[in-house]
Amino acid sequence: MTILRGRLFRLTPKFFGQELSQKEFLEEHVAPTKIVVLGEYHGAAPIIQLQTSIQETMARSIVHLPMIATSVAIAKSSETECPLAQSNNSEHKQDEEYEIGIEQISNLHQSPKVRVIMEHFSMEMQQILDQFQIGNLDTAGFIQAYKDIGTEGHNLNPYLPILSSALENNRINLYGGFIPRPYARMIMREGLDQTIERASQAGFISADEQLRGTDGHYNFFESLLTGRDIHSDPHGKLATDRFRAKMFPAQLIKDASMAWCAKNINEILNVNGQDRMLIVCGVGHMLYSHGVPERILENSSNDNDSSSTIRQEDMLRVACLPMNDKHIRDESEQKLDTEALLKDAYGGPDSNAADVCFLYIEEIEDESKDEEIIKETKDAYDKVGATAHLEGGNMQKAHAILSSLHYTSDEIAFAGADAVNYQGVGCPHRHIDIQEGEAVADFGSGLGVDSMIARGAVGPNGLVVGIDLSTECVGHANKRAQER
């Protein structure tokens, strides 16, 4: 058994603050549970280790059961309620490298399995997840395909142990659980009703979804953004309403999509009722049962099929909590008051924040090594910035490179002579629809070519700010901005 780099504590009223051994947690709490909701912080190594242990424990709990084929190998395009059907009808279906073997996919989704639904992958990414799990994509190819789709933007490298665990264990399947990120931005720009209609038509949320959230959920959500202490203001009397109209629905559509995905996977794939489900999302999507847990339970309560019903007692909620510097010092001196720490974080035994807390220490990288890398990078790009010029550049080659990276002819024309100083490896403009009058921040702006193109998109009433490590590159870009 891999030793977890953290400590586990119960948060239920009767046992609040009681520490669990790793063996107790996995064997007595995880193994018999139908569905585990893990609230994580992205990329933290101890949490990834915890998730790996959870999914492998759940897999061992069903290893004695025979496999049964499911009926969703290739679903009809009209069956948008099925996350697998949605993924198989994505734009990637036309690419030869993503062609699916019906028998392989049918075998992949046999039951019983541990269905691991992760927010790091959108539901439209199910195709590449399937291809990876049946061996048609290696790890490097999978990560590249993830980047090519480009909507989610997580660094997958820390999650390689989870991916490897799923590859090595045929009882574990991975699923994309979130609606693609552009839909959250669509709420901000195009409005709620239009976004709901388009998302439901695409099969990412229920056709009946209205994206309504409770006042308690908004109280919690607002506190995440403002830092307001919800334990001293439990009814949200001091909460501001400025996030309620757009940002809150943008959060709700993610919760709704993950709960909808879980509902469909449970109803369609869990043919013998023996599946287990591990749902992995940020803590902001599950604490106090707000977001994903409450919507899963609500969806299930409206289901007439009792065999697929998920009840509160079927669910184990695990919330991760990083220690701060004071906690680490106190623990090293053996004077850490864990019960006081948990009360401060979650509000006490009656708060119903989660069932178990995983208290861990964030791994700190060698800062001196980071500083050395930063200096080397800055020096290299300062040399580029100091020698940048417009004369003598190969404009034909520059235009060919930009075209191959899917810059439009208008964007290339707006770049003009500065195109010869293009340093990028991809076109960020294809991943966001910049509107006139918006403010844009270009991180790693280099010699400013993408900033200049963005300036053309925002128009005279907009603002573009380029930020770069290299003072020489920034100096060149500012000079060119003034000259243009």
Side-chain angles (χ1 to χ4, degrees):
M1 181 184 296
T2 303
I3 304 301
L4 296 178
R5 288 170 284 180
R7 299 169 66 185
L8 295 149
F9 297 91
R10 299 183 72 174
L11 297 179
T12 52
K14 186 176 180 180
F15 301 102
F16 190 88
Q18 180 185 92
E19 186 163 8
L20 291 169
S21 70
Q22 178 179 335
K23 183 177 181 181
E24 287 175 322
F25 170 69
L26 293 175
E27 294 184 0
E28 298 176 18
H29 294 266
V30 171
T33 299
K34 184 174 183 178
I35 177 170
V36 175
V37 180
L38 175 63
E40 63 136 33
Y41 290 88
H42 298 326
I47 298 176
I48 291 166
Q49 183 190 38
L50 174 68
Q51 179 184 334
T52 305
S53 296
I54 290 173
Q55 66 190 38
E56 291 179 352
T57 297
M58 297 178 87
R60 284 194 295 273
S61 72
I62 58 173
V63 73
H64 63 285
L65 299 171
M67 290 284 199
I68 299 176
T70 64
S71 58
V72 296
I74 298 294
K76 296 178 182 178
S77 60
S78 61
E79 293 173 342
T80 53
E81 291 186 358
C82 173
L84 300 177
Q86 170 62 30
S87 70
N88 291 340
N89 286 281
S90 71
E91 60 184 344
H92 295 287
K93 187 176 180 181
Q94 304 303 319
D95 299 337
E96 289 184 5
E97 63 266 34
Y98 291 114
E99 290 206 358
I100 294 180
I102 294 177
E103 185 176 353
Q104 288 177 297
I105 296 298
S106 179
N107 291 336
L108 176 66
H109 295 291
Q110 284 180 331
S111 185
K113 290 286 187 77
V114 179
R115 317 286 182 183
V116 182
I117 305 173
M118 298 178 65
E119 78 157 62
H120 311 75
F121 308 104
S122 67
M123 284 186 274
E124 68 177 354
M125 292 177 170
Q126 193 57 49
Q127 181 120 17
I128 64 170
L129 281 165
D130 286 349
Q131 292 294 309
F132 173 67
Q133 292 174 97
I134 64 175
N136 286 356
L137 279 175
D138 61 14
T139 301
F142 172 70
I143 291 176
Q144 185 57 54
Y146 179 86
K147 291 178 179 178
D148 289 344
I149 294 175
T151 57
E152 306 313 297
H154 291 280
N155 176 13
L156 294 187
N157 288 325
Y159 295 91
L160 292 180
I162 289 168
L163 300 178
S164 297
S165 169
L167 279 183
E168 293 166 5
N169 194 321
N170 69 350
R171 294 283 181 163
I172 299 173
N173 276 22
L174 301 176
Y175 297 87
F178 261 15
I179 192 169
R181 283 187 181 180
Y183 281 86
R185 293 195 291 267
M186 194 184 300
I187 290 175
M188 311 290 284
R189 292 177 177 169
E190 301 180 23
L192 188 60
D193 292 341
Q194 185 172 348
T195 304
I196 289 174
E197 181 179 0
R198 291 177 62 177
S200 63
Q201 287 176 350
F204 294 132
I205 59 175
S206 166
D208 299 323
E209 181 61 61
Q210 297 299 313
L211 296 184
R212 296 192 180 98
T214 65
D215 287 339
H217 189 181
Y218 180 77
N219 180 30
F220 169 60
F221 175 72
E222 189 269 356
S223 75
L224 295 177
L225 299 179
T226 64
R228 178 179 53 83
D229 182 9
I230 60 171
H231 308 314
S232 61
D233 182 29
H235 302 297
K237 293 181 180 179
L238 301 178
T240 174
D241 274 338
R242 71 176 184 268
F243 308 117
R244 194 181 288 272
K246 291 187 176 181
M247 290 190 70
F248 187 41
Q251 176 86 345
L252 292 176
I253 200 169
K254 299 173 187 176
D255 299 331
S257 67
M258 182 164 262
W260 183 240
C261 178
K263 173 183 172 67
N264 287 313
I265 287 176
N266 185 48
E267 291 181 358
I268 297 169
L269 300 183
N270 190 14
V271 295
N272 61 3
Q274 299 298 321
D275 278 0
R276 303 288 190 271
M277 194 177 294
L278 170 59
I279 295 180
V280 185
C281 56
V283 290
H285 291 284
M286 57 76 64
L287 275 177
Y288 307 97
S289 283
H290 295 310
V292 175
E294 66 186 352
R295 286 179 177 270
I296 287 175
L297 294 173
E298 181 182 349
N299 286 345
S300 188
S301 67
N302 296 329
D303 189 357
N304 295 324
D305 183 2
S306 59
S307 65
S308 61
T309 298
I310 298 173
R311 301 161 300 175
Q312 180 71 61
E313 55 266 34
D314 296 323
M315 183 182 294
L316 176 70
R317 300 162 301 156
V318 183
C320 297
L321 179 65
M323 292 192 206
N324 61 32
D325 291 340
K326 181 181 183 303
H327 298 152
I328 295 170
R329 287 195 303 271
D330 287 348
E331 183 170 59
S332 67
E333 298 170 7
Q334 297 185 336
K335 60 179 184 181
L336 179 64
D337 185 344
T338 54
E339 186 167 346
L341 184 161
L342 296 173
K343 285 181 179 178
D344 182 62
Y346 300 120
D350 297 323
S351 65
N352 191 33
D355 299 302
V356 175
C357 168
F358 178 59
L359 186 65
Y360 70 97
I361 297 175
E362 294 184 275
E363 296 184 345
I364 301 174
E365 297 182 358
D366 186 346
E367 293 184 3
S368 62
K369 186 176 180 181
D370 289 345
E371 290 173 1
E372 182 181 337
I373 293 171
I374 291 170
K375 184 179 183 303
E376 289 179 1
T377 303
K378 183 181 185 301
D379 290 346
Y381 278 97
D382 275 344
K383 290 179 182 178
V384 173
T387 58
H389 56 84
L390 303 181
E391 300 79 15
N394 188 332
M395 288 295 294
Q396 184 177 0
K397 183 177 181 180
H399 284 195
I401 291 172
L402 290 170
S403 295
S404 71
L405 294 173
H406 306 295
Y407 284 82
T408 67
S409 56
D410 287 344
E411 289 166 344
I412 295 171
F414 194 87
D418 289 281
V420 297
N421 287 319
Y422 179 74
Q423 301 165 280
V425 295
C427 179
H429 306 276
R430 298 292 74 80
H431 300 296
I432 184 168
D433 183 19
I434 299 174
Q435 300 294 310
E436 187 172 351
E438 289 188 325
V440 176
D442 180 6
F443 291 92
S445 54
L447 296 173
V449 178
D450 279 314
S451 295
M452 294 172 195
I453 293 173
R455 177 66 179 83
V458 301
N461 296 321
L463 174 68
V464 178
V465 177
I467 302 167
D468 199 88
L469 185 66
S470 167
T471 52
E472 295 289 345
C473 284
V474 170
H476 173 86
N478 279 331
K479 181 174 180 291
R480 285 296 301 140
Q482 292 170 1
E483 292 172 350
R484 288 169 64 104

